[in-house]
């Protein structure tokens, strides 16, 4: 699927053909969803054969019309890590939208990412996605609707709106994780069990997945905020710097939450160790009380003929009272020491 719009003279126009959009005056935005049609099937066949997917169909037309390097499109189709590259013809930025979904083989949530390629030219913007993307869809509807004049501020500003929307989604991810972390911390304090440790480890894996996305994205956006890209106007650089600042906050929050989950895991392990020590202490007290009683029973259980106590009629009663006395003395001692 391909969408195209152009803004000039205070009006926004939409096109169904790439050529018409590219030749239209003003700022042009072309959005290619590479998940539709036979082209997607061809790319899946290439991927299953172990080859890097190459642009076909509408995507190939857009690549050729705007002189986009095929390797950059392959980075998007191949789901490469976030990156940015600055060329004379355009600035390329690969970011990833992300959200949590229930896994295909497990009921646990997993971080699902979708690559979004942003190509910023002098007066054109091309976005390439491998599936429908809520962030790109929201910005598209905004520019095609009530905020049409935003596209008049340039392709670089429209690209900023897309990237900013994707980065805002990272904060929503961290808000979800924050709620989960608070729940786990309460469970660690109130009723720790093996499922609590599993929940902590799951949170750490999710945070690691978020970290793998936001760290390279921060560096990629930073390249567009320093004034190195000719296609990014000086007036727009501050907006990319704002996105960079947001990504710094996301990175810091991710590291903070990782520390919190590590602390929760340490608390759980300490609680488990303390519980084990408490059990061992009680068993030690019991063994200490039983040990002298076992000794007395063993001595008088030898049944030697020369043992005079065996002939005493009150020997049994005296032995039992003595053993009870020893046990009571030991119990009183351990209570005074705080072991019971």
């Amino acid at each position: 699927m391909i969408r195209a719009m152009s803004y000039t003279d205070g009006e926004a126009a939409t096109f169904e053909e790439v050529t018409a959009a590219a030749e239209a005056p003003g700022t042009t935005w072309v959005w290619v969803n590479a998940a539709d049609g036979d082209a997607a099937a061809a790319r899946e066949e290439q991927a299953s054969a172990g080859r890097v997917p190459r642009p076909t169909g509408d995507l190939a037309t857009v690549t050729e019309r705007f002189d986009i390097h095929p390797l950059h499109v392959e980075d998007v189709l191949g789901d490469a890590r976030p990156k940015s590259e600055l060329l004379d013809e355009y600035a390329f930025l690969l970011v990833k939208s992300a959200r949590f979904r229930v896994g295909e083989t497990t009921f646990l949530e997993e971080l699902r990412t979708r690559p979004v390629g942003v190509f910023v030219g002098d007066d054109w913007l091309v976005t390439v996605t491998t599936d429908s993307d809520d962030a790109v869809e929201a910005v598209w509807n905004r520019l095609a609707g009530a905020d049409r004049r935003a596209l008049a501020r340039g392709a670089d500003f429209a690209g900023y709106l897309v990237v900013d929307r994707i980065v805002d989604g990272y904060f929503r991810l961290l808000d979800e994780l924050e709620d989960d972390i608070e729940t786990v911390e309460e469970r660690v304090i109130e009723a720790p069990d093996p499922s609590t440790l599993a929940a902590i480890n799951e949170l750490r894996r999710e945070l690691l997945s978020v970290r793998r996305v936001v760290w390279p994205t921060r560096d990629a956006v930073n390249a567009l905020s320093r004034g190195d890209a000719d296609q990014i106007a000086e007036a727009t650089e501050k907006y990319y710097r704002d996105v960079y600042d947001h990504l710094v906050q996301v990175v810091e929050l991710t590291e903070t939450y990782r520390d919190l989950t590590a602390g929760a895991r340490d608390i759980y392990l300490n609680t488990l160790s303390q519980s084990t020590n408490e059990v061992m202490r009680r068993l030690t007290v019991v063994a200490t009380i039983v040990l002298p009683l076992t000794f007395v029973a063993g001595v008088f259980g030898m049944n030697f003929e020369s043992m005079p106590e065996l002939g005493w009629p009150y020997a049994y009663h005296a032995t039992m009272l003595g053993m009870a006395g020893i046990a009571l003395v030991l119990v009183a001692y351990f209570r005074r020491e705080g072991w019971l």
Side-chain angles (χ1 to χ4, degrees):
M1 180 190 70
I2 183 171
R3 301 184 189 180
M5 73 167 68
S6 178
Y7 184 91
T8 182
D9 296 333
E11 295 293 336
T14 58
F15 302 88
E16 296 182 358
E17 295 182 357
V18 176
T19 302
E23 294 177 351
T27 303
T28 299
W29 179 11
V30 177
W31 174 19
V32 184
N33 182 358
D36 298 332
D38 297 334
R43 285 188 296 274
E44 291 180 0
E45 182 179 354
Q46 293 172 6
S48 62
R51 301 192 301 271
V52 177
R54 295 183 176 275
T56 55
D58 291 334
L59 183 56
T61 303
V62 171
T63 301
E64 181 179 357
R65 182 62 183 81
F66 291 96
D67 196 21
I68 296 176
H69 200 288
L71 289 179
H72 291 157
V73 180
E74 290 175 9
D75 286 338
V76 180
L77 301 181
D79 198 11
R81 70 192 301 270
K83 58 185 292 189
S84 62
E85 292 187 19
L86 308 181
L87 284 73
D88 295 335
E89 297 80 8
Y90 59 86
F92 167 55
L93 177 64
L94 173 59
V95 293
K96 292 188 177 183
S97 60
R99 61 179 175 176
F100 288 116
R101 286 185 176 181
V102 177
E104 297 178 356
T105 59
T106 176
F107 291 106
L108 299 176
E109 286 187 332
E110 298 176 354
L111 184 68
R112 302 297 182 88
T113 60
R114 293 175 177 174
V116 178
V118 180
F119 302 86
V120 181
D122 293 331
D123 60 350
W124 55 268
L125 170 69
V126 173
T127 54
V128 179
T129 61
T130 59
D131 203 344
S132 58
D133 188 271
D134 295 338
V136 180
E137 182 77 28
V139 177
W140 180 274
N141 293 335
R142 170 184 170 183
L143 298 188
D147 198 9
R148 296 183 178 183
R149 295 185 178 181
L151 193 60
R153 303 181 65 173
D156 52 350
F157 185 78
Y160 148 75
L161 293 177
V162 174
V163 177
D164 184 60
R165 185 81 179 197
I166 292 174
V167 173
D168 287 343
Y170 298 160
F171 285 100
R172 290 190 290 272
L173 290 180
L174 293 179
D175 288 341
E176 295 180 24
L177 290 176
E178 182 181 10
D179 295 337
D180 294 339
I181 291 173
E182 291 178 354
T183 302
V184 167
E185 287 178 336
E186 293 176 357
R187 290 173 56 185
V188 168
I189 297 174
E190 296 176 357
D193 53 41
S195 64
T196 303
L197 181 60
I200 294 174
N201 291 332
E202 178 64 22
L203 282 173
R204 288 181 60 82
R205 284 193 294 269
E206 292 175 351
L207 286 168
L208 180 60
S209 299
V210 174
R211 186 177 186 272
R212 289 174 177 171
V213 173
V214 299
W215 271 77
T217 303
R218 181 191 62 175
D219 297 335
V221 173
N222 187 33
L224 300 183
S225 65
R226 298 180 306 215
D228 298 336
D230 297 335
Q231 295 78 14
I232 307 299
E234 183 177 356
T236 311
E237 290 175 4
K238 60 184 178 182
Y239 293 101
Y240 283 92
R241 284 195 294 269
D242 182 68
V243 176
Y244 174 77
D245 291 339
H246 291 171
L247 286 167
V248 171
Q249 295 178 25
V250 172
V251 170
E252 291 176 349
L253 284 174
T254 302
E255 295 303 316
T256 300
Y257 292 162
R258 279 171 56 84
D259 291 341
L260 288 176
T261 55
R265 184 179 61 180
D266 291 341
I267 293 175
Y268 171 82
L269 295 177
N270 290 336
T271 303
L272 182 63
S273 177
Q274 183 178 0
S275 177
T276 302
N277 291 339
E278 184 69 22
V279 172
M280 293 301 298
R281 185 177 65 179
R282 293 181 182 276
L283 292 177
T284 301
V285 169
V286 172
T288 304
I289 296 174
V290 172
L291 181 60
L293 306 183
T294 305
F295 173 76
V296 173
V299 169
F300 289 100
M302 292 186 291
N303 295 325
F304 290 123
E305 293 182 1
S306 60
M307 294 180 65
E309 296 87 354
L310 297 179
W312 185 36
Y314 301 104
Y316 172 77
H317 302 86
T319 302
M320 295 301 295
L321 288 174
M323 294 172 66
I326 293 173
L328 290 174
V329 170
L330 291 175
V331 169
Y333 172 77
F334 287 131
R335 282 189 178 276
R336 189 184 69 178
E337 295 296 327
W339 287 23
L340 286 176

